[in-house]
Amino acid sequence: MKSQKELSKTDHSTEDKIKNAARLIFHKKGYAATRTRDIAEEAGINLALLNYYFRSKEKLFDIIMLESLQGFLHSIKEVFNNEETSLENKIETLVSNYIDLLIEQPDIPLFLLSELRNNPNELVSKINIKQVLMNSYFIKQFKHAMNDGIIATMNPLHFIMNILGMTVFPFIASPILKSLSDISPADFEDLMNQRKILIPNWIKGMLIV
Amino acid sequence: MKSQKELSKTDHSTEDKIKNAARLIFHKKGYAATRTRDIAEEAGINLALLNYYFRSKEKLFDIIMLESLQGFLHSIKEVFNNEETSLENKIETLVSNYIDLLIEQPDIPLFLLSELRNNPNELVSKINIKQVLMNSYFIKQFKHAMNDGIIATMNPLHFIMNILGMTVFPFIASPILKSLSDISPADFEDLMNQRKILIPNWIKGMLIV
DNA sequence: GTCTATAACGTGATAGAC
DNA sequence: GTCTATCACGTTATAGAC
């Protein structure tokens, strides 16, 4: 239950106030549409202070971007490299954790994907997503099960696309989905919580030999 | 096979040159990050002409946005309201059409979803997505099959999220996915083409009672 | 550290010649 | 219709007082 604390992090220092405001607005509007004035106002401080602490809009953005990316990968990393849990259990945990995360911070995926779009970013290589995902214990288990004929043979990328697609996409597309049905935010959250059970079941269905 | 023609539309008139350039850059960078100067350069004309023809950046954007949204919905509309085809056939056709469309114009989904994010846009209601999707012949077939016990019972929204999630998400997340494996653009396209067959099969698996 | 005032710059839009 | 030159404005960033 750290999420609430995570969101409105310790707002003690001015530096933290600015960072929290920046995260909020960058996530919501993206780099280009964000004005440093908005961040300053949201933080309740003066515009000059932003440059005093972070030098420039871009530097501040880079910090937020890095942290957001790391935070988002953190969930996967922990689950994927747990050597105690089964393949099935990993899927259930991952989906459930992500849905919880996305209910709290629904803006993160669209933010990350938009900002990563054109920047074959140094960040992506710095964070080394490849190492985290493709060399994980999870992938080992997956390939092992395929070799043993326990699950159907497929490129692990398909598998990752399906899990992430079914889990993350509804949040990215929520503006449209909400307009499809006359669905309230509470209803939407209910639907997403249902998916904690549904998605792992669907995924299992895909793996049957 | 209209797609090629669709993309580089008749570049005859200056107006079309500007629109095509605008579409290209807006799709790639979004509204805020796009400079009218970039559009003018891409179109090979002068900045003043852009305002001469379209009055303002925003007006030009609105046109591109509307057309893009309509184009994207067009695929669904046609497939979903065909009263001759089966439920299974509709799924196969929709997935296949979308993958073809996204291979040609991979920037569209992220563009639409980003720009729609904060605008409970008049557009969304003007286009009336709800009407197109939820009152379609497809949804009728779907509910019918559920009532008859032919397919598993679930909220149709889950179903739509799954199809779109599995189909569209890989394109949205392609920068990350490409960095995961050392996958070439051609390999990525191959993977996506595989999914024309795979996704409908997975979806059918979800529907088994 | 924090503020006000202002400089420096980029961008959308227009005037006016051709 | 198309161009060059320029305006008008908003935004980032800094100087300098407190």
Side-chain angles (χ1 to χ4, degrees), chain A:
Chain A
M1 289 294 101
K2 65 174 178 180
S3 46
Q4 195 55 260
K5 200 176 171 187
E6 283 287 340
L7 263 175
S8 55
K9 294 207 170 97
T10 49
D11 247 13
H12 301 322
S13 68
T14 302
E15 192 170 338
D16 283 341
K17 271 193 236 166
I18 298 173
K19 267 181 62 175
N20 290 332
R23 177 167 31 245
L24 189 74
I25 298 186
F26 278 139
H27 281 186
K28 191 148 56 187
K29 313 214 290 182
Y31 178 80
T34 294
R35 298 176 311 154
T36 51
R37 281 170 164 77
D38 294 336
I39 296 176
E41 190 188 358
E42 174 71 30
I45 52 95
N46 189 276
L47 172 58
L49 272 185
L50 189 151
N51 290 288
Y52 173 77
Y53 278 104
F54 295 96
R55 205 46 207 167
S56 75
K57 177 187 178 182
E58 201 177 348
K59 291 250 198 328
L60 175 55
F61 176 80
D62 287 344
I63 292 171
I64 299 299
M65 185 69 183
L66 181 66
E67 287 186 5
S68 301
L69 205 49
Q70 283 175 330
F72 202 68
L73 277 187
H74 183 70
S75 314
I76 297 191
K77 204 188 288 193
E78 286 221 322
V79 177
F80 270 27
N81 285 312
N82 187 337
E83 306 204 356
E84 310 294 321
T85 57
S86 69
L87 209 53
E88 288 194 3
N89 185 294
K90 281 190 178 56
I91 297 168
E92 288 165 10
T93 310
L94 182 74
V95 170
S96 181
N97 286 359
Y98 261 139
I99 289 179
D100 283 336
L101 179 69
L102 292 171
I103 286 175
E104 300 243 13
Q105 303 192 303
D107 288 329
I108 286 193
L110 201 48
F111 166 76
L112 289 178
L113 294 169
S114 296
E115 300 299 337
L116 248 43
R117 171 164 41 176
N118 285 315
N119 323 4
N121 216 304
E122 343 72 71
L123 273 186
V124 179
S125 47
K126 189 189 268 181
I127 299 282
N128 208 344
I129 303 175
K130 189 181 170 184
Q131 166 67 23
V132 170
L133 275 186
M134 300 313 270
N135 294 347
S136 65
Y137 189 71
F138 172 82
I139 294 290
K140 277 196 200 102
Q141 283 179 303
F142 187 81
K143 288 184 176 168
H144 203 331
M146 277 199 313
N147 284 335
D148 292 357
I150 295 169
I151 62 174
T153 302
M154 72 171 90
N155 188 324
L157 270 183
H158 282 309
F159 189 70
I160 291 175
M161 292 180 207
N162 292 343
I163 295 184
L164 291 182
M166 290 201 286
T167 305
V168 175
F169 183 81
F171 290 92
I172 299 180
S174 69
I176 291 175
L177 294 172
K178 280 174 186 163
S179 81
L180 279 187
S181 252
D182 292 314
I183 200 178
S184 73
D187 291 337
F188 184 78
E189 195 174 322
D190 285 344
L191 275 178
M192 294 305 112
N193 278 318
Q194 290 171 21
R195 292 175 76 79
K196 291 181 188 172
I197 311 281
L198 292 170
I199 293 174
N201 281 336
W202 290 323
I203 295 279
K204 276 171 217 160
M206 296 178 191
L207 293 180
I208 289 171
V209 277

